Amino acid sequence: MKSMTGFGRAKLEKEGREYLVEIRSVNHKYTDITVKAPRNLMYLEDKIRKAILQKVARGKIDVFVSYANYGIEGKNVMINKELAKIYIQELTELAEENDIPSGLRASEISKLPDVMNIQLEEDSSETIWLELLECLENSIDNFVEMREVEGNRIRQDLNARLQQIAKNVDEISNLSTGLLEEYVVKLQERIKEILKTNVVDEARLAQETVIYADKCSIEEEITRIKSHIEQFEKLLEEIGPCGKKLDFLVQEMNRETNTIGSKSGKLEITNLVIDLKTQIEDIREQIQNIE
């Protein structure tokens, strides 16, 4: 099990080239990857996304890539001479029109926009990607490891809450045993009290008992909620994303709990149902952060 919250960082230096990759994530309904990289590396954005998707299934993921090249391999300095001449011509005319010395120098012209650029050779671009990929994979491994650690903590918490839920369900099941017999006794006493007679119409009593049993029986709900708990425990031990499946099971558990609460007229069961709903809501909040 993995949490959707995580952080991973890796740094790599090779032959004057320095890479830094940071990955952060929070919970999200789907997979949303945002890559922030230097302009000259944005052409690698799709490859970065695919590398992450191989090991991550869900979450809002922000990837930060830093790159610095202090070497000279694979670099070509390109000067746009035509653009430089236009700059010189315009600046010279400006100086003459305003009677000010121009004092133009080649170094100053080279600093003007788009005059001097550093271009990377094709072979160098491939080298950069392979080196960046190495750094990226190290960052992803650290990122996934943190998500797994957090996921294990969540799993332990969920198991503890499930045990409490199972305990409450067993108590509700025990308390529900004999409810029908209690109802029959109370109904007989009530009839005798109202009619002031010890004679009770057994046929009518049986009919009322059947109606009550149909309306108030929670055996099916108890069976289903126990089944959901069992499925939940199995999913917690599975390898791979399970957050959406767990979310569905929690909805079903909550539905069965509501039905039990609406059917039961016993105070002890009502109190246990309230505790059940509290535990289920806590679980629902926890699994929102599971991949």
Side-chain angles (χ1 to χ4, degrees):
M1 174 180 288
K2 297 175 188 173
S3 166
M4 281 192 283
T5 301
F7 175 79
R9 186 176 187 272
K11 188 175 182 181
L12 179 68
E13 294 183 16
K14 281 194 176 182
E15 299 179 359
R17 293 180 293 276
E18 185 178 286
Y19 306 85
L20 176 65
V21 178
E22 291 184 350
I23 306 175
R24 302 175 184 177
S25 72
V26 294
N27 60 321
H28 196 273
K29 193 173 183 179
Y30 306 105
T31 305
D32 181 11
I33 301 176
T34 301
V35 179
K36 297 180 180 178
R39 187 175 179 181
N40 60 337
L41 293 186
M42 284 307 294
Y43 69 97
L44 297 174
E45 180 178 356
D46 188 54
K47 291 184 177 181
I48 293 173
R49 288 174 183 272
K50 289 179 179 178
I52 293 174
L53 286 172
Q54 289 179 358
K55 296 184 179 180
V56 178
R58 195 157 68 106
K60 187 180 187 310
I61 303 163
D62 291 313
V63 185
F64 303 90
V65 179
S66 297
Y67 169 71
N69 190 346
Y70 303 109
I72 60 173
E73 182 182 350
K75 291 182 177 179
N76 290 322
V77 177
M78 306 295 294
I79 296 178
N80 191 333
K81 295 181 180 179
E82 296 301 321
L83 180 59
K85 290 178 181 178
I86 295 174
Y87 275 126
I88 294 170
Q89 181 180 345
E90 294 295 328
L91 291 171
T92 301
E93 290 180 3
L94 179 63
E96 291 176 353
E97 290 174 1
N98 294 278
D99 194 21
I100 57 175
S102 63
L104 293 174
R105 294 184 180 180
S107 59
E108 294 175 348
I109 298 297
S110 68
K111 296 176 183 179
L112 294 172
D114 299 324
V115 172
M116 185 168 67
N117 295 286
I118 299 177
Q119 294 185 348
L120 302 177
E121 297 177 356
E122 289 299 325
D123 291 342
S124 178
S125 296
E126 182 62 26
T127 300
I128 287 175
W129 163 240
L130 293 176
E131 293 173 350
L132 175 60
L133 180 60
E134 180 181 346
C135 184
L136 177 63
E137 288 180 340
N138 290 336
S139 180
I140 293 173
D141 289 342
N142 295 332
F143 171 70
V144 170
E145 181 180 356
M146 181 176 179
R147 284 163 64 108
E148 288 176 347
V149 170
E150 182 65 21
N152 285 330
R153 291 174 182 168
I154 294 175
R155 178 169 55 191
Q156 292 173 7
D157 180 75
L158 292 177
N159 274 321
R161 294 183 187 278
L162 276 178
Q163 290 176 11
Q164 182 60 43
I165 288 175
K167 180 180 177 182
N168 287 351
V169 171
D170 287 338
E171 290 184 27
I172 290 173
S173 180
N174 293 332
L175 288 170
S176 67
T177 302
L179 281 180
L180 189 59
E181 289 76 7
E182 291 179 13
Y183 173 76
V184 172
V185 172
K186 289 180 180 179
L187 185 58
Q188 286 176 329
E189 292 176 353
R190 184 63 174 161
I191 292 173
K192 291 177 182 179
E193 180 183 345
I194 294 174
L195 300 179
K196 299 184 183 304
T197 178
N198 289 328
V199 179
V200 178
D201 186 343
E202 295 296 334
R204 183 59 187 273
L205 182 63
Q207 183 181 11
E208 291 296 328
T209 302
V210 170
I211 294 173
Y212 177 81
D214 183 57
K215 288 184 178 180
C216 299
S217 174
I218 58 174
E219 291 183 7
E220 290 185 11
E221 288 75 14
I222 293 291
T223 301
R224 283 197 290 266
I225 200 170
K226 285 184 176 181
S227 174
H228 296 331
I229 292 172
E230 184 179 346
Q231 292 178 63
F232 203 107
E233 290 174 336
K234 288 180 179 179
L235 283 173
L236 290 180
E237 301 304 321
E238 284 188 2
I239 297 174
C242 61
K244 292 183 179 179
K245 294 179 181 178
L246 293 176
D247 188 51
F248 172 76
L249 281 177
V250 166
Q251 293 179 40
E252 293 301 306
M253 290 168 65
N254 190 57
R255 183 178 302 169
E256 302 300 341
T257 302
N258 287 335
T259 304
I260 292 172
S262 65
K263 284 186 174 183
S264 173
K266 197 168 186 176
L267 180 60
E268 292 87 344
I269 293 180
T270 300
N271 290 335
L272 287 169
V273 166
I274 293 173
D275 189 49
L276 266 181
K277 288 180 66 66
T278 301
Q279 292 288 350
I280 290 172
E281 179 60 23
D282 289 341
I283 288 178
R284 190 193 67 80
E285 292 180 1
Q286 283 281 47
I287 65 175
Q288 299 307 308
N289 200 36
I290 294 176
E291 185 179 68

